[in-house]
């Protein structure tokens, strides 16, 4: 299992967090997604290595972006 944490910019409500969770959950290899709305942190646990570019694309598909 691998765990990575990302800062997502633009989430302001529970619906935002749910959208990010749904999109990131669809990325191949992702086993769990935890969103902390207050801090904007998204923690992704994978069965193995998960490509950060795939996470970024999923977050962008949800309408948000990952901070640098």
């Amino acid at each position: 299992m691998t765990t990575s944490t990302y800062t997502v910019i633009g989430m302001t409500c529970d619906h935002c967090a749910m959208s990010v969770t749904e999109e990131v959950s669809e990325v191949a290899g992702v086993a769990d997604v935890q969103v902390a709305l207050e801090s904007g942190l998204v923690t992704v646990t994978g069965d193995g290595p998960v490509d950060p570019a795939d996470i970024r694309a999923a977050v962008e598909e949800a309408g948000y972006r990952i901070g640098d």
Side-chain angles (χ1 to χ4, degrees), residues 17-44:
M18 197 168 29
S19 295
V20 170
T21 299
E22 288 175 9
E23 291 295 336
V24 173
S25 293
E26 293 179 8
V27 172
V30 171
D32 185 55
V33 180
Q34 297 294 318
V35 176
L37 182 60
E38 301 77 25
S39 63
L41 294 178
V42 175
T43 302
V44 178

